[in-house]
Amino acid sequence: MRLSPPSRIPCGTAPTSARIDLPFLLGTAFSSNRTRAKALGYGAHFVNGQIFALIYYAVFVAIGHASWWLGCLLGLVHGLFAATALVNILLPLVHPRMGTPETSAPRVALLEPPGFLMLNYGRGTPTVTLAAHLGYGAIVGGFLT
């Protein structure tokens, strides 16, 4: 009996995939050069990660307890805020290269707005975003126990 190999779908082409490029999204706020934007975006995301780790630490110190599950809870709140209010409301207001419903035809936007829960970047994006933030919170909380 011969089994055929599973079909392969290139990453980013499946209808349920997440096609968000966070370093590019962050970096294009500072540069229109695609390569420079990615480099700046990776740096910005790294620095933001350090800042948020300090914020998580301050919360753990304030409540007098740190654990992986409490980190997951903070990660859930962080992820929900990032996927809703931050990228859907605040980011399009300040990002100079993100399209809006008012973007005219002669003015072409470099980035598509993420939309609610970042669904414009793929149906899997909310799941991937929340999983990443839960993992981040668990790691930060776990290291502080």
Side-chain angles (χ1 to χ4, degrees), residues 17-111:
S17 69
R19 57 183 184 86
I20 188 167
D21 186 351
L22 196 54
F24 186 69
L25 180 69
L26 293 172
T28 53
F30 306 105
S31 175
S32 61
N33 179 291
R34 295 180 77 84
T35 305
R36 186 173 297 128
K38 276 216 174 206
L40 290 170
Y42 276 112
H45 199 237
F46 177 78
V47 169
N48 287 342
Q50 301 304 307
I51 292 169
F52 275 103
L54 292 173
I55 293 170
Y56 280 39
Y57 176 73
V59 170
F60 293 140
V61 168
I63 62 174
H65 180 72
S67 66
W68 69 267
W69 62 266
L70 190 56
C72 276
L73 184 63
L74 286 175
L76 177 66
V77 171
H78 180 188
L80 287 173
F81 174 75
T84 55
L86 182 65
V87 298
N88 191 39
I89 299 169
L90 301 174
L91 190 62
L93 290 175
V94 298
H95 199 298
R97 291 170 189 86
M98 185 169 286
T100 66
E102 292 80 31
T103 302
S104 66
R107 184 174 164 255
V108 178
L110 185 60
L111 293 172

Side-chain angles (χ1 to χ4, degrees), residues 101-126:
E102 292 80 31
T103 302
S104 66
R107 184 174 164 255
V108 178
L110 185 60
L111 293 172
E112 172 184 22
F116 182 68
L117 293 177
M118 299 185 285
L119 286 169
N120 289 352
Y121 293 158
R123 289 188 310 187
T125 304

